[in-house]
Amino acid sequence: MKKIERAENLVQSHLELFQCPVCHHRYLNLTGNSLVCEKGHTIDFNRHGYLHFLNTQGTTEYDRAMFISRRKLLSAGLFKPIIERVNQFLPATPQTVLDVGTGEGTPLAQLASLRKDRDFYVGFDISKPGITLATQLDTKAFFCIADLRQLPFVDQSFDTVLELFSPSDYREFNRVLKENGLLIKVIPNADYLLELRHLLYGNKDQHYHYDNSKVLELFKKHYPDAHVIRVRYQFDLPKELITDMVKMTPMSWGKNVQQLTDDELAKLHSITVDVSLLVGRK
């Protein structure tokens, strides 16, 4: 089955979840390669098998090369323990899951694999290169380009909203979450990628240290009964992926970033992954 056919079948079987970003009415049907809403607005599937819900091209600083480097690290297991911990919070019953800022899609695909594809997964991002790569994954998840502030989904359409290292819009999250729906937000802690950060920046630079207290405080403001679960481990870096480790993170974009020599890169035998899972309910 072609990618576009697979994507159309997924959306057709869950058409009740989607709404038009122009008028906010539901989509009525899929005619040819086009979704048609109650007011007659249409949106077409492209040849890669995704829907583009933005009026813009969907470009960010995250380019294809960065996403390819990220896929290499994630496929090697960089975030696998995080995904395994996320899975422990999801009920065994079939779920509708929305992945915010899905990037190139590997974490969502890994979650789907752990859960034996029993759920319906939607991953969205603003980045066209990321979503184009995501559609190449061997997974039943559906991917689209969409705006975090104006989600193209109807009210109370998802059991779970998942967000790894992405911005938040809690008003929109609560709108699309079902009653008692689950929000899982993954944020970096102070030691996240510590070895790389200390190679790239001097100890007087703001990037040398990281403080997540403001993000945590805002989450607890919206979800006072939230649970905070720390996940911390060492990931052994394969020698052939050291350069990709640097390329995959915006940490290497800072104003005062140091250009690393081969000898300095060779010091990256392992990397610390230190995150918190913020788990709240609507």
Side-chain angles (χ1 to χ4, degrees):
M1 184 180 296
K2 295 180 179 178
K3 287 188 292 185
I4 188 171
E5 294 173 344
R6 183 179 65 179
E8 288 173 349
N9 287 342
L10 283 170
V11 172
Q12 179 71 66
S13 62
H14 295 85
L15 194 59
E16 73 281 359
L17 301 182
F18 294 83
Q19 71 176 25
C20 175
V22 178
C23 64
H24 309 300
H25 284 76
R26 293 176 182 266
Y27 285 104
L28 291 177
N29 55 62
L30 175 62
T31 303
N33 293 329
S34 301
L35 282 182
V36 184
C37 82
E38 293 175 354
K39 295 294 185 180
H41 301 117
T42 62
I43 183 171
D44 297 337
F45 284 86
N46 67 13
R47 61 187 177 87
H48 297 289
Y50 66 78
L51 292 169
H52 189 123
F53 288 104
L54 297 181
N55 293 324
T56 63
Q57 288 298 311
T59 56
T60 67
E61 302 93 334
Y62 289 39
D63 60 13
R64 180 179 174 84
M66 180 181 184
F67 281 119
I68 289 175
S69 290
R70 180 165 293 192
R71 174 164 291 177
K72 291 178 182 178
L73 267 300
L74 300 188
S75 297
L78 180 63
F79 290 166
K80 194 69 179 291
I82 300 175
I83 299 303
E84 291 171 346
R85 195 71 177 93
V86 166
N87 184 43
Q88 293 175 3
F89 287 96
L90 300 186
T93 53
Q95 302 287 293
T96 49
V97 179
L98 178 65
D99 184 26
V100 177
T102 196
E104 49 72 49
T106 296
L108 186 59
Q110 290 174 339
L111 179 64
S113 179
L114 282 175
R115 293 178 58 78
K116 310 301 182 185
D117 289 318
R118 70 169 69 101
D119 311 309
F120 177 61
Y121 302 92
V122 176
F124 80 89
D125 204 289
I126 197 174
S127 170
K128 182 178 178 180
I131 294 299
T132 300
L133 281 171
T135 62
Q136 298 174 8
L137 291 167
D138 183 18
T139 179
K140 293 182 179 179
F142 171 71
F143 295 99
C144 58
I145 294 178
D147 183 0
L148 172 72
R149 312 293 179 191
Q150 191 179 2
L151 298 175
F153 311 109
V154 303
D155 297 356
Q156 300 188 41
S157 48
F158 288 93
D159 296 295
T160 301
V161 171
L162 174 63
E163 183 201 328
L164 276 70
F165 310 110
S166 293
S168 298
D169 187 317
Y170 297 119
R171 182 178 61 83
E172 274 292 85
F173 292 171
N174 284 335
R175 182 183 68 78
V176 301
L177 272 173
K178 296 178 181 179
E179 290 301 322
N180 204 40
L182 192 66
L183 171 61
I184 304 177
K185 179 178 176 67
V186 179
I187 63 173
N189 290 332
D191 289 346
Y192 180 69
L193 306 189
L194 183 71
E195 299 82 359
L196 179 58
R197 187 185 307 118
H198 287 183
L199 278 177
L200 292 173
Y201 297 97
N203 60 9
K204 293 184 179 180
D205 191 276
Q206 63 176 350
H207 293 90
Y208 190 85
H209 307 281
Y210 180 74
D211 180 5
N212 67 12
S213 58
K214 290 184 178 179
V215 178
L216 182 57
E217 181 181 340
L218 182 61
F219 190 90
K220 287 186 173 181
K221 180 179 178 181
H222 286 272
Y223 307 94
D225 298 326
H227 296 286
V228 180
I229 299 93
R230 188 177 187 184
V231 180
R232 191 182 193 278
Y233 54 92
Q234 290 296 125
F235 177 75
D236 292 331
L237 268 176
K239 184 178 296 185
E240 67 273 14
L241 296 183
I242 292 176
T243 301
D244 289 299
M245 183 74 248
V246 180
K247 291 179 180 178
M248 69 156 273
T249 169
M251 193 182 294
S252 61
W253 301 347
K255 180 179 179 182
N256 299 317
V257 66
Q258 300 179 42
Q259 299 302 312
L260 301 180
T261 65
D262 290 341
D263 289 340
E264 289 171 323
L265 284 172
K267 296 177 182 178
L268 281 175
H269 300 296
S270 68
I271 199 83
T272 300
V273 179
D274 181 20
V275 303
S276 284
L277 272 63
L278 313 184
V279 183
R281 286 198 178 273
K282 177 177 173 180

